[in-house]
């Protein structure tokens, strides 16, 4: 199966500029080359046109840049839908995590029932009512499952909402009160850093894959680079101490590769303007190679 790269240089979902340079930074760090070195066909790289500069108006402070995010999501969804229709494995390069609304729109247009594995320091489960920031990148999973007023199904081309039974969040250590409440009341599977410390990343991944693949016809991996410890990846907009180690993250990707169950991926929140040692971009590229089957021996 070939891989198709879809660059989305978008930053309005996180409200912090710099993250729009993520895709080109990962490309120049050799993402395409790494993929080809694995013997995988690179079936095109596409770029979604995004508003770069602005004297842009965020609009509602409770949900900023909503029209821009809807527009971007429609365009991303179209490319992702085309990629899966062409039987390729789409990798969406962000940009901030709001680009995943587009990915999920395109994927649900194709798959009947999609599982989602979400690596993140955060829950991305806020709604218009609970958000502390108004930034939509902190709401994506709530949007995807239909807990907010703005819903995945508002995006043209999207299929059904994501079923909460098939969603797993891994690596959390910074959940807002409203997010904790939603996780509790809805019974959303969330493996915090505490759970990873306690049970180990292998056990957590095993359970996560079981949840995301139960009754589904596709499993999407959404990888927010801030799931990593800032010691490994400081070039992200919202770093939180106490994250995944270098090996835990690689091992997780290697385990996912072994299952052969992942059918698409987002790689988001790399901010080259904050990535002073270039470690974050490099690690993002390496982790993608591990997910695609690169082995140590
Ligand atoms: N929970 C915070 C918020 O809602 C931070 C979210 C960070 N999200 C991310 N995709 N990096 O604003
Ligand atoms: Mn995050
Ligand atoms: Mn938890
Ligand atoms: Mn995120």
């Amino acid at each position: 199966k070939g891989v198709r790269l879809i660059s989305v240089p978008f930053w309005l979902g996180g409200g912090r500029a710099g993250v729009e340079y993520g895709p080109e930074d990962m490309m120049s760090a050799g993402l395409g080359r790494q993929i080809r070195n694995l013997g995988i066909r690179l079936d095109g790289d596409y770029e979604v046109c995004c508003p770069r500069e602005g004297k842009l108006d965020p609009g509602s402070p409770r949900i900023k840049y909503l029209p821009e995010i809807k527009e971007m999501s429609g365009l991303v969804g179209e490319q992702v839908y085309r990629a899966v229709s062409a039987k390729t494995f789409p990798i969406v390069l962000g940009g901030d995590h709001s680009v995943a609304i587009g990915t999920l729109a395109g994927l649900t247009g194709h798959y009947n029932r999609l599982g989602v594995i979400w690596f993140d320091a955060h829950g991305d489960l806020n709604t218009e009512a609970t958000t502390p920031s108004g930034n939509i990148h902190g709401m994506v999973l709530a949007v995807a499952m239909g807990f907010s007023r703005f819903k995945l199904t508002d995006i043209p081309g999207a299929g059904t909402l994501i079923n909460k039974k098939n969603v797993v969040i891994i690596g959390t250590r910074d959940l807002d009160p409203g997010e904790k409440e939603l996780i509790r009341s809805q019974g959303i599977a969330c493996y915090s850093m505490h759970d990873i410390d306690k049970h180990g990343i292998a056990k957590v991944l095993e359970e996560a894959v079981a949840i995301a693949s139960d009754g589904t016809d596709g499993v999407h991996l959404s990888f927010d680079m801030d799931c990593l410890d800032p010691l490994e990846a400081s070039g992200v907009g919202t770093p939180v101490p106490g994250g995944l180690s270098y090996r835990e993250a690689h091992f997780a990707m290697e385990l996912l590769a072994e299952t052969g169950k992942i059918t698409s991926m987002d790689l988001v929140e790399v901010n080259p303007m904050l990535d002073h040692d270039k470690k974050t971009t490099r690690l993002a590229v390496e982790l993608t190679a591990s997910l695609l089957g690169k082995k140590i021996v």
Side-chain angles (χ1 to χ4, degrees):
K1 206 171 188 183
V3 165
R4 187 170 296 182
L5 298 172
I6 300 165
S7 292
V8 190
F10 187 84
W11 64 276
L12 298 175
R16 185 161 186 176
V19 75
E20 70 275 25
Y21 296 107
E24 61 184 82
D25 217 46
M26 289 186 268
M27 292 305 282
S28 41
L31 181 57
R33 183 165 19 87
Q34 285 265 9
I35 292 169
R36 275 187 260 98
N37 284 349
L38 292 168
I40 297 170
R41 183 168 43 91
L42 198 55
D43 194 324
D45 65 89
Y46 294 74
E47 179 167 328
V48 171
C49 182
C50 298
R52 278 261 172 180
E53 253 5 84
K55 35 178 188 355
L56 284 158
D57 171 13
S60 166
R62 302 220 58 87
I63 182 153
K64 296 174 185 167
Y65 300 109
L66 182 58
E68 289 83 358
I69 282 168
K70 283 184 175 165
E71 192 188 339
M72 171 277 293
S73 299
L75 297 170
V76 173
E78 220 176 287
Q79 291 299 340
V80 169
Y81 180 80
R82 272 190 215 162
V84 285
S85 302
K87 305 242 182 293
T88 65
F89 181 105
I91 301 182
V92 171
L93 306 174
D96 71 73
H97 217 157
S98 69
V99 306
I101 298 171
T103 315
L104 293 172
L107 293 172
T108 55
H110 177 90
Y111 294 104
N112 292 316
R113 186 159 161 184
L114 185 74
V116 177
I117 301 180
W118 197 271
F119 279 85
D120 212 310
H122 309 93
D124 293 353
L125 281 168
N126 278 303
T127 65
E128 300 88 340
T130 64
T131 175
S133 62
N135 293 327
I136 294 181
H137 77 159
M139 311 183 192
V140 181
L141 272 178
V143 170
M145 292 184 275
F147 296 129
S148 52
R149 261 177 57 201
F150 168 41
K151 292 178 174 55
L152 180 65
T153 42
D154 296 339
I155 308 302
T160 55
L161 294 169
I162 304 292
N163 189 326
K164 66 182 179 187
K165 291 193 175 75
N166 297 121
V167 172
V168 194
I169 312 169
I170 301 174
T172 51
R173 52 202 187 272
D174 183 8
L175 295 169
D176 297 315
E179 297 183 299
K180 289 187 184 174
E181 177 49 37
L182 198 66
I183 287 168
R184 260 197 301 270
S185 63
Q186 299 293 334
I188 298 162
C190 175
Y191 294 91
S192 65
M193 287 311 300
H194 176 91
D195 299 319
I196 295 168
D197 291 341
K198 196 172 196 167
H199 304 294
I201 192 80
K203 179 88 184 109
V204 165
L205 261 288
E206 189 187 310
E207 292 183 16
V209 171
I211 292 165
S213 57
D214 185 21
T216 60
D217 53 346
V219 179
H220 176 62
L221 169 66
S222 201
F223 199 90
D224 184 331
M225 282 300 287
D226 70 28
C227 72
L228 281 138
D229 196 285
L231 292 168
E232 306 295 349
S234 59
V236 296
T238 44
V240 189
L244 293 178
S245 71
Y246 180 92
R247 267 313 299 166
E248 278 173 328
H250 267 292
F251 191 39
M253 296 303 105
E254 290 157 8
L255 290 169
L256 288 177
E258 278 175 18
T259 69
K261 293 212 162 128
I262 303 298
T263 45
S264 51
M265 180 189 193
D266 305 304
L267 194 51
V268 301
E269 299 283 350
V270 172
N271 187 325
M273 264 150 56
L274 305 170
D275 190 18
H276 304 296
D277 51 14
K278 287 279 157 225
K279 265 167 72 176
T280 310
T281 294
R282 236 186 298 140
L283 183 50
V285 170
E286 289 171 2
L287 288 170
T288 307
S290 283
L291 177 81
L292 294 174
K294 184 172 180 181
K295 295 201 174 67
I296 295 177
V297 283

